[in-house]
Amino acid sequence: MPTEVTYGLPYDQWNWRIGVYIAMIGIAGGAYLTGYIADLLAEKRDSRQYGQVAKFGYLVGLGGLAIGPPVLLSHLAAPFRAMMIPLTMTNLGSWMSIGAYMLMGFGLGTSVMFLWLAFGTNRPHARTLGSSNEVAADGGEDVAADGGPAKAATSDETAGGFRGAANKVGLMNLLDSIADYTRPSRRNRLVVGALFGIFAAGVLVYSAMAYGSGSTERVALWDPTFLLPVQILTGLGAGLTVAVGLAALAERDVSRPIQNCSLGAAGLLAGGLVAVAATLFLLPEQIPAAQPAVDNLTSAYALEFVGIALVGGLIVPIALSIAGTLGVRRDALSDSGAVGAYVAAAALVVAGKLALALSYLMAAEFTPMPLPV
């Protein structure tokens, strides 16, 4: 006969590492996709500044993968076995298996796209330097191989930024050679980027489905109808916000394309805020079992959810992104002030995404599953 299995709250088994994993892969997927759109705009409008946002978008995607999955693996008793899931588990009806394939393809894609933009003697969207006082496209000053000033951003070394770091560890020439040898034509590079974008979109969807939503529907708060828009919009918005903050910091000013991207990020974050509000007000009407979890979000976990995730991670970054852009356009704020606003928004949105993921884990309540005994 069946018996009820009593589960504790999800975070009893799924601790903070799961929240970090979900947040980081969401930011990573969103950063790649918005970065790719910036890449398209850079090619269409011949804009190096959009190219900067694209490059940092790919970098944020790479960074999210460098943080999220290792943190998840540290939670498992057999991490090496989990790493082999793409090779040992082919159940395409399971999001664990699908997510592993998406992450594998996405990791390759974001690495390659970043390599092609950041390295090589003919890298796209690079700044052509007119004097030794200008900065390179990655935030460092280009110098010639003999240590003297370079005449173009296609020089062999830089004194700072990505290429400077690679040069210090003796990898720059190797990375330049690999990038130049493998980089296809501009059109084909964008086609390849679009194909890898499929994996990025899969990772973004997986950042919602990784919560465990499925046919059993044991966790009403994680209903995919409401959870998917929240994860997709906040992932896109957070990824673009971080890319904009890094690009503005590297440029040390805020050009019109970076301003436009900042406004786009604010719009995506606003969409995420609306999706969260819809969850709070509409989900309990559609699924009454979700009411206790929604109450948990606004009471027991109000600090994490309302204070850090909503106010600190969405509302304040939206305000900073808009204020920074409008302030510069109306000559009410200096470029350095706008850079500070964009960087602050980037830091806050990451903290907010982490808090949102953790809140959804801690507030959720399980429906016991009848099992035959």
Side-chain angles (χ1 to χ4, degrees), residues 208-209 213 217 220-231 275 278-279 283 286-287:
M209 305 309 293
S213 299
E217 298 178 348
L221 180 63
W222 300 344
D223 178 71
T225 302
F226 290 86
L227 185 59
L228 278 168
V230 169
Q231 288 298 96
T279 299
L283 177 59
Q286 300 295 321
I287 306 177

Side-chain angles (χ1 to χ4, degrees), residues 188-214:
N188 289 338
R189 182 182 68 82
L190 293 176
V191 170
V192 171
L195 293 176
F196 282 124
I198 297 173
F199 290 97
V203 168
L204 196 55
V205 172
Y206 173 54
S207 73
M209 305 309 293
Y211 277 96
S213 299

